[in-house]
Coordinates of all heavy atoms in Angstrom, one line a residue:
L1 N -17.7 -0.2 9.4 CA -16.7 -0.8 10.2 C -15.7 0.3 10.6 O -15.1 0.9 9.7 CB -16.0 -2.0 9.5 CG -14.9 -2.7 10.2 CD1 -15.5 -3.4 11.4 CD2 -14.3 -3.7 9.3
L2 N -15.5 0.5 11.8 CA -14.5 1.5 12.3 C -13.7 0.9 13.4 O -13.8 1.3 14.6 CB -15.3 2.8 12.8 CG -16.1 3.6 11.8 CD1 -16.9 4.6 12.5 CD2 -15.1 4.2 10.9
P3 N -12.7 0.1 13.0 CA -11.9 -0.5 14.1 C -10.9 0.5 14.7 O -10.4 1.4 14.1 CB -11.1 -1.6 13.3 CG -11.0 -1.0 11.9 CD -12.3 -0.3 11.7
S4 N -10.7 0.3 16.0 CA -9.7 1.1 16.7 C -8.4 0.2 16.8 O -8.3 -0.8 17.4 CB -10.2 1.3 18.1 OG -9.2 2.1 18.9
L5 N -7.4 0.7 16.1 CA -6.1 0.0 16.0 C -5.2 0.6 17.1 O -5.1 1.8 17.2 CB -5.5 0.2 14.7 CG -6.3 -0.2 13.5 CD1 -5.6 0.1 12.1 CD2 -6.8 -1.6 13.5
Q6 N -4.6 -0.3 17.9 CA -3.8 0.2 19.0 C -2.4 -0.5 19.0 O -2.4 -1.7 18.7 CB -4.5 0.0 20.4 CG -5.8 0.8 20.5 CD -6.5 0.5 21.8 OE1 -6.2 -0.5 22.5 NE2 -7.3 1.4 22.2
W7 N -1.4 0.2 19.4 CA 0.0 -0.4 19.5 C 0.7 0.2 20.6 O 0.4 1.3 21.1 CB 0.7 -0.3 18.1 CG 0.9 1.1 17.7 CD1 1.9 1.9 17.9 CD2 -0.1 1.9 16.9 NE1 1.7 3.2 17.3 CE2 0.5 3.2 16.7 CE3 -1.4 1.7 16.4 CZ2 -0.2 4.2 16.1 CZ3 -2.0 2.7 15.7 CH2 -1.4 3.9 15.6
S8 N 1.9 -0.4 20.9 CA 2.7 0.2 22.0 C 3.6 1.3 21.5 O 4.0 1.3 20.3 CB 3.7 -0.9 22.5 OG 2.9 -1.9 23.1
R9 N 3.8 2.3 22.3 CA 4.5 3.5 21.9 C 6.0 3.1 21.8 O 6.6 2.4 22.5 CB 4.4 4.6 23.0 CG 5.2 5.8 22.7 CD 4.9 6.9 23.7 NE 3.5 7.3 23.7 CZ 2.8 8.0 22.8 NH1 3.5 8.5 21.8 NH2 1.5 8.3 23.0
S10 N 6.6 3.7 20.7 CA 8.1 3.6 20.5 C 8.7 4.8 21.1 O 8.3 5.9 20.7 CB 8.4 3.4 19.0 OG 9.8 3.5 18.8
T11 N 9.6 4.7 22.0 CA 10.2 5.9 22.7 C 10.9 6.8 21.7 O 11.0 8.0 21.9 CB 11.1 5.6 23.8 OG1 12.1 4.7 23.3 CG2 10.4 4.9 24.9
A12 N 11.4 6.3 20.6 CA 12.2 7.1 19.6 C 11.3 7.6 18.5 O 11.8 8.4 17.7 CB 13.3 6.2 19.0
A13 N 10.0 7.2 18.4 CA 9.2 7.6 17.3 C 8.7 9.1 17.4 O 8.4 9.5 18.5 CB 8.0 6.7 17.2
V14 N 8.8 9.7 16.3 CA 8.2 11.1 16.2 C 6.8 11.0 15.6 O 5.9 11.7 16.0 CB 9.1 12.0 15.3 CG1 8.5 13.3 15.0 CG2 10.5 12.1 15.9
S15 N 6.6 10.0 14.7 CA 5.3 9.8 14.2 C 5.2 8.3 13.7 O 6.2 7.6 13.8 CB 5.0 10.7 13.0 OG 5.9 10.4 11.9
Y16 N 4.0 7.9 13.3 CA 3.7 6.6 12.9 C 3.0 6.6 11.6 O 2.2 7.5 11.3 CB 2.8 5.8 13.9 CG 3.4 5.8 15.3 CD1 3.1 6.7 16.3 CD2 4.3 4.7 15.7 CE1 3.6 6.7 17.5 CE2 4.8 4.7 16.9 CZ 4.5 5.6 17.9 OH 5.0 5.6 19.1
K17 N 3.3 5.6 10.7 CA 2.5 5.4 9.5 C 1.7 4.1 9.7 O 2.2 3.1 10.0 CB 3.5 5.2 8.3 CG 2.7 4.9 7.0 CD 3.5 5.0 5.8 CE 4.4 3.8 5.6 NZ 5.1 3.7 4.3
V18 N 0.4 4.3 9.6 CA -0.6 3.2 9.8 C -1.1 2.8 8.5 O -1.6 3.6 7.7 CB -1.7 3.7 10.8 CG1 -2.7 2.5 11.0 CG2 -1.2 4.2 12.1
E19 N -1.0 1.5 8.2 CA -1.5 1.0 6.9 C -2.5 -0.2 7.1 O -2.2 -1.0 7.9 CB -0.4 0.5 6.0 CG 0.6 1.6 5.6 CD 1.8 1.1 4.9 OE1 2.6 0.4 5.6 OE2 1.9 1.3 3.7
V20 N -3.6 -0.2 6.4 CA -4.6 -1.3 6.4 C -4.8 -1.7 5.0 O -5.0 -0.8 4.1 CB -5.9 -0.8 7.0 CG1 -6.9 -2.0 7.0 CG2 -5.7 -0.3 8.5
A21 N -4.7 -3.0 4.7 CA -4.8 -3.5 3.4 C -5.7 -4.8 3.3 O -5.9 -5.4 4.4 CB -3.4 -3.8 2.8
T22 N -6.1 -5.1 2.2 CA -6.9 -6.4 2.0 C -6.0 -7.5 1.7 O -6.5 -8.7 1.5 CB -8.0 -6.2 1.0 OG1 -7.4 -5.8 -0.3 CG2 -9.1 -5.2 1.4
D23 N -4.7 -7.3 1.5 CA -3.8 -8.4 1.2 C -2.5 -8.3 2.0 O -2.2 -7.2 2.5 CB -3.4 -8.4 -0.3 CG -2.8 -7.1 -0.7 OD1 -3.3 -6.0 -0.4 OD2 -1.7 -7.1 -1.3
Y24 N -1.9 -9.4 2.3 CA -0.8 -9.5 3.2 C 0.4 -8.7 2.6 O 1.2 -8.2 3.4 CB -0.4 -11.0 3.4 CG 0.7 -11.2 4.4 CD1 0.3 -11.3 5.8 CD2 2.0 -11.4 4.1 CE1 1.3 -11.5 6.7 CE2 3.0 -11.6 5.0 CZ 2.6 -11.7 6.4 OH 3.6 -11.9 7.3
S25 N 0.5 -8.6 1.3 CA 1.7 -7.9 0.7 C 1.5 -6.4 0.7 O 2.3 -5.6 0.2 CB 2.0 -8.4 -0.6 OG 0.9 -8.3 -1.5
F26 N 0.3 -5.9 1.1 CA 0.0 -4.4 1.1 C 0.0 -3.8 -0.2 O 0.5 -2.7 -0.4 CB 0.9 -3.7 2.1 CG 0.5 -4.0 3.6 CD1 0.9 -5.1 4.2 CD2 -0.4 -3.1 4.3 CE1 0.5 -5.4 5.5 CE2 -0.8 -3.4 5.6 CZ -0.3 -4.6 6.2
T27 N -0.4 -4.5 -1.3 CA -0.5 -3.9 -2.6 C -1.9 -3.2 -2.8 O -2.0 -2.3 -3.6 CB -0.3 -4.9 -3.7 OG1 -1.3 -6.0 -3.5 CG2 1.1 -5.5 -3.7
N28 N -2.9 -3.6 -2.0 CA -4.2 -3.0 -2.0 C -4.5 -2.3 -0.7 O -5.2 -2.8 0.1 CB -5.3 -4.0 -2.4 CG -6.6 -3.4 -2.6 OD1 -6.7 -2.2 -2.9 ND2 -7.7 -4.1 -2.4
I29 N -3.9 -1.1 -0.4 CA -4.1 -0.4 0.8 C -5.4 0.3 0.8 O -5.7 1.1 -0.2 CB -2.9 0.5 1.0 CG1 -1.6 -0.3 1.2 CG2 -3.1 1.5 2.2 CD1 -0.3 0.6 1.3
T30 N -6.2 0.1 1.8 CA -7.5 0.7 1.9 C -7.6 1.9 2.9 O -8.5 2.6 2.8 CB -8.6 -0.4 2.3 OG1 -8.2 -1.0 3.5 CG2 -8.7 -1.4 1.2
Y31 N -6.6 1.9 3.8 CA -6.5 3.0 4.7 C -5.0 3.3 5.0 O -4.3 2.4 5.2 CB -7.2 2.7 6.0 CG -7.1 3.8 7.0 CD1 -7.9 4.9 7.1 CD2 -6.1 3.7 8.0 CE1 -7.7 5.9 8.0 CE2 -5.9 4.7 8.9 CZ -6.7 5.8 8.9 OH -6.5 6.8 9.8
Q32 N -4.7 4.6 5.0 CA -3.3 4.9 5.4 C -3.2 6.3 6.0 O -3.9 7.2 5.6 CB -2.4 5.0 4.1 CG -0.9 5.3 4.4 CD -0.1 5.1 3.2 OE1 0.1 4.1 2.7 NE2 0.5 6.2 2.7
N33 N -2.5 6.4 7.1 CA -2.2 7.7 7.7 C -0.7 7.7 8.0 O -0.2 7.0 8.8 CB -3.0 7.9 9.0 CG -2.7 9.2 9.7 OD1 -1.8 10.0 9.3 ND2 -3.5 9.5 10.7
S34 N 0.0 8.6 7.3 CA 1.5 8.7 7.4 C 2.0 9.6 8.5 O 3.2 9.8 8.7 CB 2.1 9.1 6.1 OG 1.8 8.1 5.1
T35 N 1.0 10.3 9.2 CA 1.5 11.3 10.2 C 0.8 11.1 11.5 O 0.6 12.1 12.3 CB 1.1 12.7 9.6 OG1 -0.3 12.8 9.4 CG2 1.9 13.0 8.4
A36 N 0.4 9.9 11.9 CA -0.2 9.7 13.2 C 0.9 9.9 14.3 O 2.0 9.6 14.2 CB -0.7 8.2 13.3
T37 N 0.4 10.6 15.4 CA 1.3 10.8 16.5 C 0.9 10.1 17.8 O 1.6 10.2 18.8 CB 1.4 12.4 16.8 OG1 0.1 12.9 17.0 CG2 2.1 13.1 15.6
D38 N -0.3 9.5 17.8 CA -0.8 8.8 18.9 C -0.7 7.3 18.6 O -0.5 6.9 17.5 CB -2.3 9.2 19.2 CG -2.8 8.8 20.6 OD1 -1.9 8.3 21.4 OD2 -4.0 9.0 20.8
T39 N -0.9 6.5 19.7 CA -0.8 5.0 19.5 C -2.2 4.4 19.3 O -2.3 3.1 19.5 CB 0.0 4.4 20.7 OG1 -0.7 4.7 21.9 CG2 1.4 4.9 20.7
T40 N -3.2 5.1 19.0 CA -4.5 4.6 18.7 C -5.0 5.3 17.4 O -4.8 6.5 17.2 CB -5.5 4.9 19.8 OG1 -5.0 4.3 21.0 CG2 -6.9 4.4 19.5
Q41 N -5.5 4.5 16.5 CA -6.0 5.1 15.2 C -7.3 4.4 14.9 O -7.4 3.2 14.9 CB -4.9 4.8 14.1 CG -5.2 5.4 12.8 CD -4.9 6.9 12.8 OE1 -3.9 7.3 13.3 NE2 -5.9 7.7 12.3
I42 N -8.3 5.2 14.5 CA -9.6 4.7 14.0 C -9.4 4.6 12.4 O -9.2 5.6 11.8 CB -10.7 5.6 14.3 CG1 -10.8 5.8 15.9 CG2 -12.0 5.1 13.8 CD1 -11.2 4.6 16.6
A43 N -9.5 3.4 11.9 CA -9.4 3.2 10.4 C -10.8 3.4 9.8 O -11.8 2.8 10.2 CB -8.9 1.9 10.1
T44 N -10.9 4.3 8.9 CA -12.2 4.6 8.2 C -12.2 4.1 6.8 O -11.2 3.7 6.2 CB -12.4 6.1 8.2 OG1 -11.3 6.7 7.4 CG2 -12.5 6.7 9.6
G45 N -13.5 4.0 6.3 CA -13.7 3.5 4.9 C -13.5 2.0 4.7 O -13.3 1.6 3.6
L46 N -13.7 1.2 5.7 CA -13.6 -0.2 5.6 C -14.9 -0.9 5.5 O -15.9 -0.3 6.0 CB -12.8 -0.8 6.8 CG -11.4 -0.2 7.1 CD1 -10.8 -0.9 8.3 CD2 -10.5 -0.2 5.9
S47 N -15.0 -2.0 4.9 CA -16.2 -2.8 4.7 C -16.4 -3.9 5.7 O -15.4 -4.5 6.1 CB -16.2 -3.4 3.3 OG -16.1 -2.3 2.3
L48 N -17.6 -4.2 6.0 CA -17.9 -5.4 6.9 C -17.6 -6.7 6.1 O -17.5 -6.7 4.9 CB -19.4 -5.4 7.2 CG -19.9 -4.2 8.1 CD1 -21.4 -4.3 8.3 CD2 -19.2 -4.4 9.5
S49 N -17.3 -7.7 6.9 CA -17.1 -9.1 6.4 C -15.9 -9.2 5.4 O -15.9 -9.9 4.4 CB -18.4 -9.6 5.7 OG -19.4 -9.7 6.6
T50 N -14.9 -8.3 5.6 CA -13.7 -8.3 4.8 C -12.5 -8.6 5.7 O -12.4 -8.0 6.7 CB -13.6 -7.0 4.1 OG1 -14.7 -6.7 3.3 CG2 -12.4 -7.0 3.1
H51 N -11.6 -9.4 5.2 CA -10.4 -9.7 5.9 C -9.4 -8.5 5.7 O -9.2 -8.1 4.5 CB -9.7 -11.0 5.5 CG -10.5 -12.2 6.0 ND1 -10.3 -12.8 7.1 CD2 -11.5 -12.8 5.4 CE1 -11.1 -13.8 7.3 NE2 -11.9 -13.9 6.2
Y52 N -8.8 -8.0 6.7 CA -7.9 -6.9 6.6 C -6.6 -7.2 7.3 O -6.6 -8.0 8.3 CB -8.4 -5.6 7.2 CG -9.6 -5.0 6.4 CD1 -10.9 -5.1 6.8 CD2 -9.3 -4.2 5.3 CE1 -11.9 -4.6 6.1 CE2 -10.3 -3.7 4.5 CZ -11.6 -3.9 4.9 OH -12.6 -3.3 4.2
F53 N -5.5 -6.6 6.8 CA -4.2 -6.7 7.4 C -3.7 -5.3 7.8 O -4.0 -4.4 7.0 CB -3.2 -7.4 6.5 CG -3.6 -8.7 6.0 CD1 -4.4 -8.9 4.9 CD2 -3.1 -9.9 6.7 CE1 -4.8 -10.2 4.5 CE2 -3.5 -11.1 6.3 CZ -4.3 -11.3 5.2
W54 N -3.0 -5.2 8.9 CA -2.6 -3.9 9.3 C -1.2 -3.9 9.9 O -0.8 -4.9 10.4 CB -3.5 -3.1 10.1 CG -3.7 -3.6 11.6 CD1 -4.4 -4.7 12.0 CD2 -3.2 -3.0 12.7 NE1 -4.3 -4.8 13.3 CE2 -3.6 -3.8 13.8 CE3 -2.4 -1.9 13.0 CZ2 -3.2 -3.5 15.1 CZ3 -2.0 -1.6 14.3 CH2 -2.5 -2.4 15.3
R55 N -0.5 -2.8 9.8 CA 0.9 -2.7 10.3 C 1.1 -1.2 10.6 O 0.4 -0.3 10.1 CB 1.9 -3.2 9.4 CG 2.0 -2.4 8.1 CD 3.0 -3.1 7.1 NE 3.0 -2.3 5.8 CZ 3.6 -2.8 4.7 NH1 4.2 -4.0 4.8 NH2 3.6 -2.1 3.6
V56 N 2.1 -1.0 11.5 CA 2.5 0.4 11.9 C 4.0 0.5 11.7 O 4.7 -0.4 12.1 CB 2.1 0.6 13.4 CG1 2.6 2.0 13.8 CG2 0.6 0.5 13.6
T57 N 4.4 1.6 11.2 CA 5.8 1.9 11.0 C 6.1 3.2 11.9 O 5.6 4.2 11.7 CB 6.2 2.2 9.6 OG1 5.8 1.1 8.8 CG2 7.7 2.5 9.4
A58 N 7.0 3.0 12.9 CA 7.5 4.1 13.7 C 8.6 4.8 12.9 O 9.4 4.2 12.3 CB 8.1 3.5 15.0
Q59 N 8.5 6.2 12.9 CA 9.3 7.0 12.1 C 10.0 8.1 12.9 O 9.4 8.6 13.8 CB 8.5 7.6 11.0 CG 7.7 6.7 10.2 CD 6.8 7.3 9.2 OE1 6.9 7.2 8.0 NE2 5.8 8.1 9.7
N60 N 11.3 8.3 12.6 CA 12.0 9.5 13.1 C 13.0 9.9 12.1 O 13.1 9.3 11.1 CB 12.6 9.3 14.6 CG 13.7 8.2 14.6 OD1 14.4 8.0 13.6 ND2 13.9 7.6 15.7
S61 N 13.8 10.9 12.5 CA 14.8 11.5 11.5 C 15.9 10.5 11.1 O 16.6 10.6 10.1 CB 15.4 12.8 12.0 OG 16.1 12.5 13.2
K62 N 16.1 9.5 11.9 CA 17.2 8.5 11.7 C 16.7 7.3 10.9 O 17.5 6.4 10.6 CB 17.8 8.1 13.0 CG 18.5 9.2 13.7 CD 19.2 8.8 14.9 CE 19.9 10.0 15.5 NZ 20.8 9.6 16.6
G63 N 15.4 7.1 10.8 CA 14.9 6.0 10.0 C 13.5 5.5 10.5 O 12.8 6.3 11.1
S64 N 13.2 4.2 10.3 CA 11.9 3.7 10.7 C 12.0 2.2 11.0 O 13.0 1.6 10.7 CB 11.0 3.9 9.5 OG 11.4 3.2 8.4
A65 N 11.0 1.7 11.7 CA 10.9 0.3 12.0 C 9.4 -0.1 11.9 O 8.5 0.6 12.4 CB 11.4 0.1 13.5
T66 N 9.2 -1.2 11.2 CA 7.8 -1.6 11.0 C 7.4 -2.8 11.9 O 8.3 -3.7 12.1 CB 7.7 -2.0 9.5 OG1 8.0 -0.9 8.7 CG2 6.2 -2.4 9.2
S67 N 6.2 -2.8 12.3 CA 5.7 -3.8 13.2 C 5.5 -5.1 12.4 O 5.5 -5.1 11.2 CB 4.4 -3.3 13.8 OG 3.3 -3.4 12.8
P68 N 5.2 -6.2 13.2 CA 4.7 -7.4 12.5 C 3.3 -7.0 11.8 O 2.7 -6.0 12.2 CB 4.5 -8.4 13.6 CG 5.3 -7.9 14.7 CD 5.3 -6.4 14.6
I69 N 2.8 -7.9 11.0 CA 1.5 -7.7 10.3 C 0.4 -8.4 11.2 O 0.6 -9.5 11.6 CB 1.5 -8.2 8.9 CG1 2.6 -7.4 8.1 CG2 0.2 -8.2 8.3 CD1 2.8 -8.0 6.7
Y70 N -0.6 -7.6 11.4 CA -1.8 -8.1 12.2 C -3.0 -8.3 11.3 O -3.0 -7.7 10.2 CB -2.1 -7.2 13.3 CG -0.9 -6.9 14.3 CD1 -0.2 -5.8 14.1 CD2 -0.6 -7.9 15.2 CE1 0.9 -5.6 15.0 CE2 0.5 -7.7 16.1 CZ 1.2 -6.5 15.9 OH 2.3 -6.3 16.8
R71 N -4.0 -9.0 11.7 CA -5.1 -9.3 10.9 C -6.4 -9.1 11.7 O -6.5 -9.4 12.9 CB -5.0 -10.7 10.3 CG -6.1 -11.2 9.5 CD -5.9 -12.6 9.0 NE -7.1 -13.2 8.6 CZ -7.2 -14.3 7.9 NH1 -6.1 -14.9 7.6 NH2 -8.3 -14.7 7.5
F72 N -7.5 -8.7 11.0 CA -8.8 -8.6 11.6 C -9.9 -8.8 10.5 O -9.6 -8.6 9.3 CB -9.0 -7.4 12.4 CG -9.0 -6.1 11.6 CD1 -10.2 -5.5 11.1 CD2 -7.8 -5.4 11.4 CE1 -10.2 -4.4 10.4 CE2 -7.8 -4.2 10.7 CZ -9.0 -3.7 10.2
V73 N -11.1 -9.0 10.9 CA -12.2 -9.1 10.0 C -13.2 -8.1 10.4 O -13.6 -7.9 11.5 CB -12.9 -10.5 10.1 CG1 -14.1 -10.6 9.1 CG2 -11.9 -11.6 9.7

């Protein structure tokens, strides 16, 4: 399973942190990239027939803002 995760660009973002987890609280993160600079990310290492949750955090020198949580199978 290699999902393509896409989101809208934040004009103030320098980079993005992309997280994929098997639980809504993100205690079991299965994929993470803390230095993404594009608004599309291919998540690797995921299993078929598994529910996943994902979110993106826009980051810059003044702070960060996290997206809502999305879900896919």
Side-chain angles (χ1 to χ4, degrees):
L1 180 65
L2 294 170
S4 177
L5 309 175
Q6 298 179 339
W7 59 93
S8 298
R9 180 172 303 281
S10 170
T11 56
V14 173
S15 65
Y16 301 94
K17 179 168 75 171
V18 182
E19 297 172 291
V20 179
T22 55
D23 61 308
Y24 189 83
S25 60
F26 286 81
T27 55
N28 186 24
I29 295 175
T30 55
Y31 175 85
Q32 181 173 297
N33 181 351
S34 298
T35 59
T37 56
D38 197 5
T39 57
T40 301
Q41 186 75 46
I42 303 293
T44 59
L46 305 183
S47 301
L48 293 172
S49 301
T50 302
H51 291 268
Y52 289 101
F53 300 88
W54 71 283
R55 64 186 175 190
V56 176
T57 302
Q59 307 171 117
N60 66 25
S61 62
K62 296 185 179 189
S64 62
T66 302
S67 73
I69 296 171
Y70 302 100
R71 180 180 160 164
F72 65 93
V73 177

